[in-house]
Amino acid sequence: MELGKRLDRPVVLVGLMGVGKSTVGRRLAKRLGLSFVDSDSAIEDAAGYSPAEMFERFGEKDFRDGERRLVARLVEGDVRIIATGGGAYVDPSTRQLLNERAITVWLDAPVDVLAERTSRRDTRAQLRNGDPKCTLEKLSKERRPSYEKAHIHVKSGEGAHKEVVEAIIEALEKHLSQRS
């Protein structure tokens, strides 16, 4: 809770689909006494379509444009924890905005772990056609250079979400001490 009171800007979780941004984000927010928002849920609330439906109906370009506007609104509010969609941070304008107005945390997990996690539900538009593991490997390779620009890098894996939350808290403490 002490750390939550010292934060002066939102903490934004970025990374590939299935890495645990939403689950870890909820737990992190609870630990820090902050609110939590998932940008994918906020998109669905605003548009009436799931991100996957919007992606399929309007294409990636229009989806990313809407996502960028929504993320910009989310970081202007209260200090909170925000989980973004996997591709949001890859957009250069969104990445710049987030790095200027938030503390960005890249959650990074092995592709094998992501493939297993994402296979549990058919809600990922980009994984519906072809081999999901192959798609995740391609996305990981393409997006890594963008994700590496996050302020903080936390490795995730098959361990408990609690361990990831603790690693983020430790990294946030270090990040804040370096900023002052």
Side-chain angles (χ1 to χ4, degrees):
M1 293 279 266
E2 167 69 24
L3 173 61
K5 292 176 183 172
R6 289 188 289 128
L7 291 168
D8 64 350
R9 59 191 59 208
V11 174
V12 179
L13 305 180
V14 302
L16 283 174
M17 62 184 91
V19 77
K21 297 179 300 285
S22 298
T23 304
V24 168
R26 279 186 201 89
R27 292 175 185 212
L28 179 63
K30 187 174 183 178
R31 273 288 307 278
L32 298 178
L34 299 172
S35 63
F36 170 78
V37 64
D38 181 303
S39 70
D40 283 350
S41 296
I43 287 170
E44 192 165 354
D45 291 346
Y49 297 108
S50 73
E53 290 170 323
M54 288 188 64
F55 204 91
E56 288 173 352
R57 285 177 185 244
F58 305 110
E60 184 170 8
K61 183 187 179 313
D62 286 347
F63 174 78
R64 296 290 176 217
D65 287 344
E67 182 179 52
R68 183 181 320 105
R69 290 189 303 273
L70 178 113
V71 168
R73 285 194 305 272
L74 294 177
V75 297
E76 291 305 318
D78 298 333
V79 172
R80 57 182 152 188
I81 307 300
I82 302 168
T84 61
Y89 193 71
V90 177
D91 177 83
S93 299
T94 303
R95 185 173 56 251
Q96 180 179 350
L97 171 85
L98 292 176
N99 280 347
E100 288 172 357
R101 299 190 184 161
I103 299 171
T104 51
V105 179
W106 171 29
L107 296 183
D108 183 18
V111 169
D112 288 341
V113 171
L114 300 176
E116 192 280 319
R117 287 180 185 169
T118 57
S119 71
R120 298 176 194 161
R121 290 182 287 150
D122 182 30
T123 58
R124 321 281 182 162
Q126 292 175 300
L127 299 183
R128 289 186 178 155
N129 301 318
D131 177 6
K133 184 177 177 188
C134 183
T135 301
L136 285 164
E137 286 172 346
K138 179 178 178 265
L139 288 172
S140 177
K141 184 178 179 181
E142 290 171 356
R143 293 178 176 180
R144 179 168 289 277
S146 295
Y147 292 150
E148 287 175 341
K149 294 178 180 163
H151 298 119
I152 295 170
H153 180 189
V154 173
K155 294 207 179 257
S156 176
E158 296 178 11
H161 291 303
K162 180 181 179 182
E163 294 170 14
V164 178
V165 169
E166 293 305 319
I168 294 170
I169 289 171
E170 187 177 310
L172 283 168
E173 289 283 7
K174 184 176 178 184
H175 180 78
L176 289 178
S177 71
Q178 291 172 345
R179 275 184 31 195
S180 26

